Amino acid sequence: MTSNASLLPYARQLIDDDDIAAVADVLRSDFLTTGPATRAFEEKLCDVTGAPFAVACSSGTAALHLAALALDLQVGDKVIVPSITFLATANAARYVGAEVVFADVNAESGLMGPEQLSQAIEQSGDNIKAVFPVHLGGQSPDMAAIREIAENNSLAVVEDASHALGGAYAHSGEATVGACAHSDMATFSFHPVKTVAMGEGGAITAWDAALAERLRLLMSHGMTRDADAFVHKDMAFDKGENDANPWYYEMHDIGFNYRASDIHCALGLSQLGKLEKFVNRRRALADHYDALLAPLAPLARPVTRMPGGKPAWHLYQVLINFEEAGQSRADVMKGLRDQGIGTQVHYIPVHHQPYYRRRYGEQTLPGAEDFYGCCLSLPLFPAMEETDVERVVTELTSVLGGS
Ligand SMILES: *Cc1c(COP(=O)(O)O)cnc(C)c1O
């Protein structure tokens, strides 16, 4: 590392004093969990996504698991998942005993679009019940077309929008990510590398009130205190009483403890207040990268932009022809690391993971192999300056053998 270069990670949360104060306020309050901060966080999430219902939970992985549970996916059912995603998207199907059908992606965008979805449906036969499209890096696939194919094949749609909070896309009219304009549910992660940080945290947004109610039930042990819902009226109500017994609750399904604490939600709420600022910053930095990287094309080029998209840019991914550069990706990453620049690879195709190879055998998905072979995520986070982007591009150019 050069002596004056500070380390630039590929992602980093931005926590200010007001975030810290919001968390401290909860610590001094009566409720550390299941209190007003959780409700306020969920309401704010409805505001920013435009979804009528939001259920906060303990992680993005929990959100995906809850979505799979709420859809009643069973052993023997199949779920289509793009192979270029984080492990959790696929694992959620396995948690409920369903099988994963790995779909290919477009080699230039990394997204599973309608084409790859249709191909996966054709090749995987019966019992496909759902598709989990992923908004990779913040870009959205053509959700309207995906929804249409899903409807024609009676598939539920759960968007893994972990990368895309604050974004919008324009297919059949503009839609905010998380509004579920073309899906049953959308899931989010608030891990610190994501656009909004909670430490650990997640959420599901939905349109349907009954579905949201079911998510909420499953998120906390399948347990309800809703008097109207009680099955055992004789146990719930003493003779002649209109109010249910104060201690009484019922378990209507097998659920989990996937609650988000008020401590986490206070941080999430405070961070959501800055979402627009964060997203604008990410967009400005991405535009700056686009302009500065243009001379490196086609050796290194940004992932293909989806038409009409307004991504929130969780990642800034470039595709590099390492063969032509005469350097391996490990060499390029090490070269940048030596200059204090952190990079990452999103993602190793999930169908190559030993667990999935054991289960489904060897598979080749050409788009996913190509995308994986070329992709590299450069630093992108809201505290970065334009000069940081310039430094990254200068060092990348030099590592790739340019001047
Ligand atoms: C981060 C992430 C998840 C999992 O979220 P956690 O909050 O870490 O459990 C799921 N899917 C994608 C695409 C992610 O990036």
Side-chain angles (χ1 to χ4, degrees), residues 106-111 136-137 139 290 293 300-306 313 315-320 346 371 374-377:
N106 179 294
E108 296 292 316
S109 71
L111 296 169
L136 185 73
Q139 289 213 101
D290 281 359
L293 283 167
R301 63 212 187 273
V303 297
T304 297
R305 303 298 184 236
M306 296 301 285
W313 295 123
L315 301 173
Y316 190 87
Q317 291 188 283
V318 288
L319 302 175
I320 298 173
H346 297 95
F371 186 83
C374 299
C375 69
L376 191 67
S377 301

Side-chain angles (χ1 to χ4, degrees), residues 62 122 166 171 190-191 214-215 235 262 300 369-370 379-380 391:
E122 266 165 43
H171 304 110
F190 304 105
H191 181 280
R214 187 156 161 71
L215 287 165
M235 290 178 76
D262 272 40
E369 318 301 342
D370 283 356
L380 183 70
R391 188 179 129 213

Side-chain angles (χ1 to χ4, degrees), residues 11 37 99 102 111 146 161 236:
E99 303 300 339
F102 288 107
L111 296 169
I146 286 175

Side-chain angles (χ1 to χ4, degrees), residues 258-278:
Y258 278 162
R259 294 185 301 264
S261 81
D262 272 40
I263 304 168
H264 292 89
C265 287
L267 178 55
L269 178 62
S270 177
Q271 289 259 297
L272 276 182
K274 302 171 206 179
L275 179 63
E276 203 181 325
K277 197 179 85 181
F278 286 170

Side-chain angles (χ1 to χ4, degrees), residues 58-62 64 85-89 134 136 160-163 187-191 193-194 200-202 314 347:
S58 51
S59 71
T61 304
L64 286 158
T85 185
F86 183 58
L87 305 170
T89 324
V134 174
L136 185 73
D160 184 340
S162 298
H163 295 185
T187 68
F188 294 94
S189 164
F190 304 105
H191 181 280
V193 299
K194 308 289 162 67
E200 297 284 356
H314 161 55
Y347 290 95

